[in-house]
């Protein structure tokens, strides 16, 4: 029985690649501290004995999404795991089946009953997502996250978007497009499948440009374009900040911060570590969740550092 009150009404999914296995284990372990019954599925690019043991320990299902060589053709070795992770992530949403479906990035710590999210936000909206307030990003403002040319101008961005994705943007969209955060998404299965189908096409269209050194293979741009294209077709609302509390965006937390007073994120139901995931204070939270759940021992036995 799901938190929403009917069988199969709410499911959580996460993505696991080898380099992020400690993070995804900590995310699920923290979720399980507050809710033992919600169904959870981990989508992975490959099976492993460590993932199987973690799945048994934390009571989660595992689905493997093989990533084909065409997706990695010409990719820099440093980008390969990131590309695999993003393809698996988007594919997980393309397979959504429940009335409400929650996707969590692996760099999250759950601090409240996840079932409250399903009941609080309700099923009457197609998608809830965060706009990274108090300063919402824009495509033009964040262009250096996606385009390698530091001197690219507006006409160059518009031309690259059109040639890469087949999306012809008006110039005003560079400043007006809603730049949603895709790290935590709550939506209906039909909406997520529709979004993911287009989003995956956009992401794969970007990969040859990334291999050519023109674009950076992040997934957000394809998501933003998808949401812009579907802006008249879907009911989209902003996710309350407490369900996607990105500390580095909401409070001054420079990358590399050693210690962070818990009062800085006391209202967070889901703490999204994001760019601060490698900070000592964040690693302490991850290690604590792994130790309390027994996942740290599983990782250590598999030769994977839990720190």
């Amino acid at each position: 029985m799901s938190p929403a009150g009917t069988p199969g009404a709410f499911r959580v999914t996460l993505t696991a690649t080898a380099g992020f296995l400690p993070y995804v284990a900590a995310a699920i372990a923290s979720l399980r501290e507050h809710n033992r019954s919600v169904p959870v599925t981990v989508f992975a690019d490959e099976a492993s004995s460590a993932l199987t043991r973690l799945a048994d320990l934390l009571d989660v299902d595992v689905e493997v999404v093989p990533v084909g060589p065409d997706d990695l053709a010409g990719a820099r070795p440093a980008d390969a795991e990131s590309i695999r992770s993003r393809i698996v992530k988007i594919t997980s949403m393309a397979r959504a089946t429940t009335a409400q479906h929650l996707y969590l990035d692996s760099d999250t710590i759950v601090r409240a009953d996840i079932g409250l999210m399903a009941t609080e936000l309700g099923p009457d909206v197609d998608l809830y997502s965060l706009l990274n307030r108090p300063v919402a990003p824009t495509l033009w403002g964040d262009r250096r996250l996606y385009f390698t040319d530091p001197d690219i101008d507006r006409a160059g961005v518009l031309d690259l978007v059109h040639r890469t994705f087949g999306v012809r943007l008006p110039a005003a969209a560079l400043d007006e497009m809603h730049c949603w955060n895709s790290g935590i998404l709550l939506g209906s299965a039909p909406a997520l499948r529709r979004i993911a189908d287009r989003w995956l096409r956009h992401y794969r269209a970007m990969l040859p440009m990334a291999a050519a050194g023109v674009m950076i293979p992040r997934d957000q741009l394809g998501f933003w374009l998808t949401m812009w294209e579907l802006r008249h077709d879907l009911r989209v609302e902003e996710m309350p900040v407490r369900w996607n509390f990105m500390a580095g965006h909401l409070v001054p937390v420079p990358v590399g911060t050693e210690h962070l007073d818990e009062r800085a994120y006391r209202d967070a139901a889901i703490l999204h570590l994001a760019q601060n995931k490698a900070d000592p204070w964040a690693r302490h939270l991850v290690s604590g969740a792994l130790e309390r759940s027994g996942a740290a021992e599983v990782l250590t036995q598999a030769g994977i550092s839990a720190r």
Side-chain angles (χ1 to χ4, degrees), residues 6-269:
T6 56
F10 178 57
R11 178 173 289 272
V12 180
T13 64
L14 302 95
T15 298
T17 54
F20 282 88
L21 197 54
Y23 283 102
V24 75
I28 299 168
S30 66
L31 183 158
R32 287 299 187 216
E33 289 184 21
H34 304 284
N35 187 307
R36 295 296 307 179
S37 62
V38 64
V40 177
T41 301
V42 174
F43 286 79
D45 59 331
E46 58 185 7
S48 72
S49 59
L51 180 56
T52 298
R53 291 186 61 196
L54 288 169
D56 289 341
L57 175 70
L58 300 171
D59 188 23
V60 302
D61 300 318
V62 175
E63 289 194 32
V64 175
V65 179
V67 177
D70 289 348
D71 292 314
L72 300 174
R76 298 187 311 157
D79 291 332
E81 183 170 17
S82 174
I83 291 170
R84 290 198 305 271
S85 175
R86 285 166 167 84
I87 289 173
V88 175
K89 166 183 176 174
I90 303 169
T91 301
S92 76
M93 295 179 224
R95 296 183 182 179
T97 58
T98 51
Q100 284 183 289
H101 181 102
L102 173 65
Y103 172 80
L104 293 177
D105 265 356
S106 59
D107 55 349
T108 50
I109 295 292
V110 179
R111 304 177 72 247
D113 181 356
I114 207 74
L116 297 174
M117 188 180 197
T119 54
E120 177 185 319
L121 300 185
D124 298 326
V125 171
D126 291 315
L127 186 76
Y128 286 96
S129 180
L130 189 73
L131 271 181
N132 286 0
R133 295 187 185 277
V135 180
T138 67
L139 177 52
W140 177 248
D142 276 10
R143 64 192 179 278
R144 288 183 176 84
L145 296 179
Y146 300 98
F147 306 100
T148 57
D149 179 1
D151 300 317
I152 194 168
D153 60 14
R154 288 175 175 264
V157 170
L158 292 170
D159 177 64
L160 266 179
V161 167
H162 176 65
R163 288 193 290 117
T164 302
F165 305 103
V167 177
R168 193 174 288 280
L169 290 177
L174 296 183
D175 301 301
E176 296 173 359
M177 181 186 297
H178 284 165
C179 298
W180 302 101
N181 178 264
S182 69
I184 300 177
L185 298 172
L186 176 69
S188 70
L192 281 170
R193 290 197 301 267
R194 186 176 183 186
I195 290 166
D197 179 66
R198 189 179 297 246
W199 184 7
L200 189 56
R201 291 200 307 270
H202 283 335
Y203 186 68
R204 283 185 161 136
M206 175 195 277
L207 295 179
M209 301 296 277
V214 177
M215 300 179 75
I216 302 168
R218 293 188 171 96
D219 63 325
Q220 293 279 101
L221 178 54
F223 181 62
W224 295 353
L225 291 171
T226 295
M227 297 303 294
W228 184 81
E229 291 176 292
L230 298 177
R231 65 195 182 280
H232 300 306
D233 301 329
L234 298 176
R235 299 161 298 173
V236 181
E237 290 192 7
E238 289 191 54
M239 181 175 290
V241 166
R242 77 188 198 96
W243 291 112
N244 188 351
F245 195 97
M246 302 182 74
H249 292 273
L250 298 169
V251 293
V253 186
V255 171
T257 296
E258 291 278 341
H259 302 286
L260 184 64
D261 192 322
E262 186 176 353
R263 288 174 294 183
Y265 54 86
R266 63 178 177 271
D267 296 327

